[in-house]
Amino acid sequence: MNDASHPSKPAFPQPVSGTVVPRFGDVATFMRMPLFRDPADVEIGMVGVPWDGGTTNRPGARHGPRQMRDLSTMMRRVHHVTGVAPYELAKCGDLGDAPVNPASLDDSLERIETFFTKIHEAGAVPLSAGGDHLITLPIMRAIRKGLPPLGMVHFDAHSDTWDTYFGGYKYTHGTPFRRAVEEGLADPKRMVQIGVRGSMYSADEKDWAESVGIRIVHIEEFFRLGPDAVMAEARQIVGDGPVYVSFDVDGLDPVYAPGTGTPEIGGFSTAEAQRMIRALDGLDLVGGDVVEVAPPFDPSGNTALVGATMMFEILCALAPAVHRRKNRMRRL
Amino acid sequence: MNDASHPSKPAFPQPVSGTVVPRFGDVATFMRMPLFRDPADVEIGMVGVPWDGGTTNRPGARHGPRQMRDLSTMMRRVHHVTGVAPYELAKCGDLGDAPVNPASLDDSLERIETFFTKIHEAGAVPLSAGGDHLITLPIMRAIRKGLPPLGMVHFDAHSDTWDTYFGGYKYTHGTPFRRAVEEGLADPKRMVQIGVRGSMYSADEKDWAESVGIRIVHIEEFFRLGPDAVMAEARQIVGDGPVYVSFDVDGLDPVYAPGTGTPEIGGFSTAEAQRMIRALDGLDLVGGDVVEVAPPFDPSGNTALVGATMMFEILCALAPAVHRRKNRMRRL
Amino acid sequence: MNDASHPSKPAFPQPVSGTVVPRFGDVATFMRMPLFRDPADVEIGMVGVPWDGGTTNRPGARHGPRQMRDLSTMMRRVHHVTGVAPYELAKCGDLGDAPVNPASLDDSLERIETFFTKIHEAGAVPLSAGGDHLITLPIMRAIRKGLPPLGMVHFDAHSDTWDTYFGGYKYTHGTPFRRAVEEGLADPKRMVQIGVRGSMYSADEKDWAESVGIRIVHIEEFFRLGPDAVMAEARQIVGDGPVYVSFDVDGLDPVYAPGTGTPEIGGFSTAEAQRMIRALDGLDLVGGDVVEVAPPFDPSGNTALVGATMMFEILCALAPAVHRRKNRMRRL
Amino acid sequence: MNDASHPSKPAFPQPVSGTVVPRFGDVATFMRMPLFRDPADVEIGMVGVPWDGGTTNRPGARHGPRQMRDLSTMMRRVHHVTGVAPYELAKCGDLGDAPVNPASLDDSLERIETFFTKIHEAGAVPLSAGGDHLITLPIMRAIRKGLPPLGMVHFDAHSDTWDTYFGGYKYTHGTPFRRAVEEGLADPKRMVQIGVRGSMYSADEKDWAESVGIRIVHIEEFFRLGPDAVMAEARQIVGDGPVYVSFDVDGLDPVYAPGTGTPEIGGFSTAEAQRMIRALDGLDLVGGDVVEVAPPFDPSGNTALVGATMMFEILCALAPAVHRRKNRMRRL
Amino acid sequence: MNDASHPSKPAFPQPVSGTVVPRFGDVATFMRMPLFRDPADVEIGMVGVPWDGGTTNRPGARHGPRQMRDLSTMMRRVHHVTGVAPYELAKCGDLGDAPVNPASLDDSLERIETFFTKIHEAGAVPLSAGGDHLITLPIMRAIRKGLPPLGMVHFDAHSDTWDTYFGGYKYTHGTPFRRAVEEGLADPKRMVQIGVRGSMYSADEKDWAESVGIRIVHIEEFFRLGPDAVMAEARQIVGDGPVYVSFDVDGLDPVYAPGTGTPEIGGFSTAEAQRMIRALDGLDLVGGDVVEVAPPFDPSGNTALVGATMMFEILCALAPAVHRRKNRMRRL
Amino acid sequence: MNDASHPSKPAFPQPVSGTVVPRFGDVATFMRMPLFRDPADVEIGMVGVPWDGGTTNRPGARHGPRQMRDLSTMMRRVHHVTGVAPYELAKCGDLGDAPVNPASLDDSLERIETFFTKIHEAGAVPLSAGGDHLITLPIMRAIRKGLPPLGMVHFDAHSDTWDTYFGGYKYTHGTPFRRAVEEGLADPKRMVQIGVRGSMYSADEKDWAESVGIRIVHIEEFFRLGPDAVMAEARQIVGDGPVYVSFDVDGLDPVYAPGTGTPEIGGFSTAEAQRMIRALDGLDLVGGDVVEVAPPFDPSGNTALVGATMMFEILCALAPAVHRRKNRMRRL
């Protein structure tokens, strides 16, 4: 990374080192990075979306971003397996939180979309910390502007493709990807959902998602195939086009992420998740998120540590993608 | 209570005794009372309203009714100070939970109002367990039908008479009593708020409530006057007309009720609260609630025990009021 | 399941859906099913046994049934792997809790046996939530009446076949299966215990169980063989006769079930447990239980969620067995 | 204390100082005192009674002695108000735990009585850490041998003078003092109970205790009179005869002692309790206990700190009483 | 405050309002104020000192500043009793954390002193969040430069005037005020310590502090005199000279502040503490701190809320003092 | 083990059985073994080192030894897989805690070394409970006297071979093995570190350890090879010479050991750890430790149970080594 082809590197901010300022010290920002208020100042913006108005069961994900910032101070600079040094590849920063309105679901969806539209228009790529999974919908509405429908690699215990809840209500954290497909934000043929499980309301519940072409890897199939084979197929499915990665921590077994709204026992492990995220390497990632971290349900804080580490893992796949796009642009 | 004038008494259901079925045993209903689905079956209906969609800070009050049912099994039959035996004075039961919609604030307000309207039309009186404080608004909309604006005895750290939040939004748990006054549900001249405290956004913040005639007893005044003098004045303020009592557990010091959404240090004690509720004796109570019990923020469960005990204390003031009205009716 | 041969189906009660009433709403019954007080009203009765008087270490399992009811509201209607819809195959309901006596071990054993005898005599099959493991003894005394000694599939970290404790005392949660064999309730040749581990008091500690023919699959053997091979052998061992399944949550690694009285590190996972329970399909199950959920030792509540999910998994093996027996009866 | 009349003083063991060994260091014994196995080695023996077999509600007091030992390392040597230095007045030590049998209530009562009889016969005085309140019964059976019926100062939210539970069972933590009076262990005319409160099963519930002459100071009367007046009366009631002091931590408000089996809101404070115990000075104390500390219900550990501090407060009243009796003996 | 004499007011930053950005939103700074890195940018600098290297018992106060920042977002702008609007009287901001060295006590003391010296030299006044109580020593070393020995109002369960620990070690959180007096940083004749209590190592333990003239108000005296009389005397003691206020949360009863290193039962309440801090009004305050908030020992977070509220209370006494000094300077 | 060649066996103390004294009973010592103050009384001494002064992140490991003693009462006498009965092979006991000085890192290192030197000089072998990982350095300084540089099997998420922290400070829990190699205490060619993972400060971070010959098995390699192959290699590396085993609980995935100072997700399981420790059988072990158990970060206590079980596993490899050395000596 020290070569002449990367002259702008020294200008990129780096995280504060824990051997200089102890990890528990100072104001907590994502990954101990500087706080910027103008998205034009970064290439990758880490954003909190403190909102759980789409939650149908246990609330608390609104407190996720702050605790993920706190625990993200455990992250260091270089990925110990891939060797990726994300802060040298792209200018990263904390962009603060998207504005939300706890008193209105509709208004919150608009505020979030507006905030991410500004990021998108400034040319930056977002890595978000939820919040419940409904936040992914306004994020996708914002960032896919000017792009074809996105591919998705989606880690979750639930497909989140229900139609309506509570008598016709179309927006909850159980519906975002039905809406995303309906609105043309995501291309169902390029979507893969990994880790889905749990008892169902009816036997035909899986039909819609699979009928539109979404590939669902149920947890039993995941255990049979293993993470490498699953990701090999996932890479084929999403292909070369722009891809969004969404990591719902309830895809993990609840022992790894008890602090979440709709836990479902029998999930994958953090080690398996890390292995899968590392397999995103080389995809044309245009954004990502880690959602459903609900601190009130995990007094140990481990869920937020898991969430922050998954953000770092995604960042180590996202920064090379941003860097590649910069290089392509430069060459043109 | 064993006299001939009370012939219907044996027909009233009584709580299961803890010397027969241990307190931790069996399905948890409010006060170990039978569950009824038809409000016509009771004179006093205990209702859960599992909804926190009006919460602007820490959510979780949606889990309040269930844990209050669990802890209410610690309650017995007879009040140890007043000697009131509420289940002999009025037919009481658990009416289950009001329907709510986590995905829509507006729809939830309607569903709650509709549910309580049925209770009101059946001639029953509700004692509710929240949920956040916004639930009191639809309850009052339902039960004051056919009555003059209600008087209120309101225990709280906050006046809950803000106008709007987040840019013009009129419904949060910080606004219900502004709306109640505006809609004529409550008579501000007959309202008293006890325990208000905490830093303010602006110096004129208290103005609206006091300008319309609400009597606010700030906590400092409460400590100076003591619970007896405060309640003597409160009884004068609400007078002989119909009165609703609303107990927000954040009126208590947070050590007694850590499991709440907007804790404010420096409040009154449970012993003081009990003393105040006992002073409601003789008022023409038409309903009551205990709100803002948010179990995720209290791993000890003590907040729910406090909430359940306050429900029992209110019940011991409500049941005599119901009994008096029955007697009046009978005499007519 | 929609065929004409199952005409009584519409009459069976179904769980309340979480898309209609949110999961946190209303009085908590097992699986959100109706509460019946007469066992003649059901074919499969879910029963709480809130008793831990046999516990030699950390108590608290008496609180298990109530929290398992609470968390069981996360369960839905159809098994996502097997497609079994248990509530369509058998009439299920919550039968409340068995009576217990915290002040007397002997009296509790009698009360529990009497309660389950009524269920058995009414022709219903019990699925129980403990309580400590000693409860399985009076349950087996009740339900094996009129049957040959039962086969058992028993998941546990401990063999629970000690002879006596504390100087000659024969009844603790460490002894039930010694007693069950001695009393002829269970056929040791048709018993398999899976997951046994942990340091021992003496080298010959395993001798009794194995000397009478019980097959013990220690955890090390389990890890070597895998769940499929273990269950293939287990099915052979229990054969075609009536079988009882008992799931002690301490068979799981404590990370999945910290809320238990005698945790032993190094156990199997929930995913492995689910795989094993699913392999019970086709056996002639006559009852089952999930025991040793002790909520005070798990502030997260995950243990109770695990327990409730295991109850659902067992139900999905038990309901087809009940259905098959009904069909056999009908044909006769 | 440094006078020649107290020559044996240097021989008495003293607690380890926290300025030498940090408070969190080393094996935890009561008050950091040496462990003795022979009661003849001490004048005051601190004893754990790890048993909760009499508990009718939430168990866990069996874990009380160990956590009280742990937290008692916060205690120092000299009382900061009275100046009493208990370890200079009497030879104190930790006597370990009384033997108990979790599998048998009757056998446990016998084992506990036998253990305390040995202490009593060795001439030592016990200061015990429960365990539930039923342990006080076998302790009193042991230590009042050779003495007239004891006076009692009893701090509690409950009178613990119920007759039977669960259909005729005479021994639970709700009955010990009915039994103690019936057996002539305690003189009801010399018994005072302070802090009693909470709803009742029936209006005549208080009758038995008061009919036999026990003075009950309900919490409302306590708040009216204040700790000094209450204790002045208590001292008159118990008079000059031998007195046992029993401190149930549920007499305190649950905020001070959430870790207990039957919390009842609205109790006295620790400061008030300390003031009351200090007023025991000069009474002829023959033993004491602190009971109902149930650590599983208090993750903060504060209840055990409160319990350990109350033990120290009682010790500072008990040691002078022991010292006075020694002096009286010496003079004879 | 709106008068012409205060022209610079609009330029002062104000906290973000919770009716605009919800309280749980965005990066957490003290009181939701801007973060400045140059002390010359503020008149009052809020500083974290994340260090507990002087702790002799339970560590964790190093995590205090971050959680106090988190909970301080509950604070609003105007004091509800005094009407003080601190952010209009002085330019306030978050200055981040002082540098510390977990691996060296001596180096940490130097780093902290250096950091506060810069604040002092820039003309700013610090309001600090600890950290254990030893941090007050280097703070005082820094800020009293150019001033006479400071007066102190010190709230604490302990006098913190021990000489040495562990065989001659002079620096722990039990010794700072002995050192401060020895070094001439504080004038013992102008020091008052309120709330001291707890058992002692020796009867003459209090002698040093009182022998040099420090006024110790033990908790028993506090309860007897009440907060108003105590503070009237305190104001006389400190007089007109410069005063530092130090609030150790263990002065409070542990129910208000369980998250602390050396809890001592029987303390004052938060309401009493607030009343006392408000009585600092008019003193010539030159700095203050809130120390010993140790989040790991309080899963509820209430201790940090208490700590943050006490910071706000102190700020409302400190800002007028700063404003008065500005006015005096301006007039010269 | 019952043969004549082992005549001293009956003299060895054995743990108290949980079928005699319940597990929660009595003073807690390591493994329920007697407490000795003279190391000459034992062959294997279990020692607590309650010190976390080297901790750079979350403190609390000073509380580890006491809680590990508490939970170690769950251990029994005989290893269920290997059949090893350690207390018959070597005379074991609890030696209490090493002296430490919370106020001085340097002094603590000296005190610890002195204490272990006494153990070593008495001919005993230590099995220690930390404390943070820096304690291993003074232990090794003490016990390798008279021996060649030790081999090490080291389980950890971190290599702990950093050079300095916070500007030149050489002693933290991130540096002990750099120091151990520099001082010739350990032979880097005979050191293996298993489970290392986590993001890095710089890409060349691993260089030093590997450059001096330490074999690092990163977690990814561990998952690929499996525990058996890893340990086969580890045995080859350490060879026949004296070996020290150090088990940092953060080598485990944090779900197994949340109570630790520097958790790193994605580690090995307890079952895998047990399998690896059992593979130490036959090595010439001269001591071992389990470190970084920080109870304040694990309210469930499971981390301490894991730690205590790992101590028992190590003991079952250490006791045979001690026994073999005794036999060799005897034969000479």
Side-chain angles (χ1 to χ4, degrees), chain E residues 265-311:
Chain E
I265 72 167
F268 47 72
S269 72
T270 47
E272 289 165 334
Q274 289 175 298
R275 192 170 185 90
M276 290 193 280
I277 297 176
R278 289 167 196 168
L280 299 172
D281 176 49
L283 297 181
D284 191 33
L285 298 179
V286 297
D289 59 48
V290 176
V291 297
E292 299 284 353
V293 171
F297 293 92
D298 182 3
S300 78
N302 197 42
T303 307
L305 175 63
V306 164
T309 309
M310 294 305 160
M311 284 183 75

Side-chain angles (χ1 to χ4, degrees), chain D residues 19 23 76-78 80 278, chain E residues 166 198-201 220 255:
Chain D
T19 60
R23 309 207 151 282
R76 300 184 189 85
R77 289 182 54 255
V78 182
H80 76 293
R278 289 168 197 168
Chain E
F166 309 119
S199 52
M200 301 177 295
Y201 291 122
E220 289 76 19
V255 301

Side-chain angles (χ1 to χ4, degrees), chain A residues 126-321:
Chain A
L127 175 56
S128 307
D132 71 42
H133 220 154
L134 184 50
I135 69 161
T136 306
L137 183 65
I139 293 173
M140 293 182 79
R141 284 173 175 165
I143 69 169
R144 59 82 49 177
K145 282 163 190 162
L147 292 177
L150 302 178
M152 278 195 75
V153 182
H154 172 193
F155 302 94
D156 205 327
H158 313 93
S159 173
D160 293 353
T161 51
W162 279 84
D163 192 6
T164 63
Y165 271 74
F166 308 118
Y169 285 81
K170 298 177 82 73
Y171 298 101
T172 77
H173 67 162
T175 67
F177 302 113
R178 183 107 166 210
R179 296 296 94 78
V181 170
E182 289 171 351
E183 299 181 16
L185 311 177
D187 174 357
K189 302 284 193 299
R190 294 180 53 236
M191 292 173 73
V192 55
Q193 301 183 323
I194 301 167
V196 176
R197 62 191 184 274
S199 53
M200 301 177 294
Y201 292 123
S202 66
D204 55 0
E205 177 176 320
K206 297 178 281 196
D207 285 5
W208 185 86
E210 294 180 341
S211 75
V212 297
I214 297 173
R215 167 69 168 116
I216 296 182
V217 183
H218 284 86
I219 196 69
E220 288 76 18
E221 191 177 2
F222 171 84
F223 285 137
R224 201 164 53 240
L225 297 175
D228 294 344
V230 166
M231 288 309 294
E233 183 185 348
R235 292 172 62 95
Q236 281 195 315
I237 288 168
V238 299
D240 294 334
V243 176
Y244 189 83
V245 55
S246 186
F247 191 93
D248 184 327
V249 294
D250 73 20
L252 295 159
D253 192 278
V255 301
Y256 300 95
T260 197
T262 321
E264 194 76 59
I265 73 169
F268 47 73
S269 72
T270 47
E272 289 165 334
Q274 289 175 298
R275 193 171 185 89
M276 290 194 280
I277 296 176
R278 290 167 195 167
L280 298 173
D281 175 50
L283 297 182
D284 191 33
L285 297 180
V286 297
D289 60 48
V290 176
V291 297
E292 299 283 354
V293 171
F297 292 92
D298 182 2
S300 77
N302 198 40
T303 307
L305 175 64
V306 165
T309 309
M310 294 305 160
M311 283 183 76
F312 182 76
E313 293 279 357
I314 294 175
L315 182 64
C316 289
L318 189 57

